[in-house]
Amino acid sequence: MNHLIAPSLLSADFGNLKHEIELINRSSADWFHLDIMDGVFVPNISFGFPVISYINKYAEKPLDVHLMIVQPERYIKDFKNAGADILSVHYEAVTHLHRTVYAIKNEGMKAGVVLNPHTNVMLLEDIIKDVDLVLLMSVNPGFGGQKFIENTYVKIEKLKELIISSNSKALIEVDGGVNLENAGNLVKAGADVLVAGNAIFKSGDILQTIDEMKKV
Ligand code: DX5
Ligand code: ZN
């Protein structure tokens, strides 16, 4: 499978959001990545349902929603109603992960699990067959524009082995500090989906950067 690109709108110009969405529609990107932060799970607050619904109104590609919130199971239906196609919850934020994964799937969405940089991929051994996607954080979540953590490559390789040996269909997504310099190595290591915020929206030429990231 060719790798997918998911631009993170956190780094978009919110004063021109409609224009940014239309650019991504026209680009070779595959998904819209939306970062939802509650100021409790992470030390930052981003945006909520009215903004997601607005993005959904104009976006012509799937919405990949990354929840950085405590008790995400309380809001699964609300994210579905706002337009989420893929809903990912943090391993560190959920007590009953199996129940939450199936609650997401029962709403007709793809279910993802996110791991913080310190969380061992082998903790997913008993859930890997049930999830559609694993999102590996390659920075500590909360902010765009941070430095990529190199240990992520080893985690991708370990996760890939776990997925293959378990006969799982889960995609591997990488998020944080992804740019044109490391994108090729991440794909080589086994990443299926690359999230990028700053590297795309602050690049000066959004369409060309996405094209280049798609071709690595
Ligand atoms: C960080 C978010 C990321 C962020 C990535 O908590 O999960 O999606 O927007 O931004 P960059 O690509 O700038 O590191
Ligand atoms: Zn994210």
Side-chain angles (χ1 to χ4, degrees):
M1 180 190 107
N2 276 337
H3 64 280
L4 308 180
I5 306 294
S8 166
L9 286 180
L10 195 62
S11 302
D13 176 1
F14 275 69
N16 282 306
L17 193 52
K18 192 173 169 203
H19 169 256
E20 303 277 68
I21 295 166
E22 284 164 353
L23 256 185
I24 302 303
N25 282 341
R26 295 207 324 262
S27 77
S28 50
D30 300 277
W31 298 346
F32 286 83
H33 184 82
L34 308 190
D35 291 296
I36 313 303
M37 307 178 184
D38 66 354
V40 179
F41 183 71
V42 288
N44 194 9
I45 297 177
S46 57
F47 53 84
F49 298 117
V51 178
I52 303 169
S53 299
Y54 174 87
I55 295 167
N56 185 47
K57 188 169 158 191
Y58 296 107
E60 293 164 3
K61 300 177 181 189
L63 302 190
D64 170 36
V65 179
H66 172 194
L67 299 184
M68 284 160 272
I69 65 175
V70 296
Q71 298 185 308
E73 63 280 358
R74 293 169 63 200
Y75 299 104
I76 291 169
K77 216 183 181 62
D78 301 277
F79 283 106
K80 170 68 184 179
N81 292 340
D85 296 288
I86 304 147
L87 193 64
S88 298
V89 298
H90 267 261
Y91 177 87
E92 302 84 3
V94 179
T95 308
H96 300 289
L97 186 57
H98 184 274
R99 179 184 290 153
T100 303
V101 162
Y102 278 93
I104 294 171
K105 289 182 160 187
N106 288 339
E107 287 295 338
M109 295 178 282
K110 300 267 186 223
V113 177
V114 194
L115 301 187
N116 273 336
H118 73 275
T119 305
N120 195 304
V121 295
M122 293 315 288
L123 290 167
L124 296 179
E125 198 175 353
D126 293 295
I127 192 83
I128 195 72
K129 275 203 82 143
D130 302 293
V131 301
D132 300 297
L133 176 144
V134 178
L135 173 47
L136 295 178
M137 288 310 302
S138 39
V139 297
N140 287 294
F143 304 94
Q146 301 183 84
K147 190 176 175 293
F148 178 83
I149 297 172
E150 297 290 326
N151 185 54
T152 309
Y153 292 112
V154 183
K155 290 183 76 173
I156 297 172
E157 285 162 11
K158 276 194 206 158
L159 178 58
K160 192 87 190 173
E161 278 176 31
L162 177 65
I163 288 171
I164 292 169
S165 66
S166 317
N167 240 326
S168 161
K169 293 193 173 65
L171 297 179
I172 301 177
E173 184 173 26
V174 180
D175 182 9
V178 174
N179 54 39
L180 286 177
E181 282 75 61
N182 56 24
N185 286 335
L186 288 167
V187 171
K188 232 179 268 162
D192 302 298
V193 188
L194 301 178
V195 176
N198 264 43
I200 288 175
F201 287 100
K202 311 283 190 229
S203 68
D205 193 333
I206 293 174
L207 293 178
Q208 195 191 322
T209 305
I210 294 172
D211 271 345
E212 283 175 31
M213 206 172 269
K214 188 81 191 166
K215 284 185 192 132
V216 296

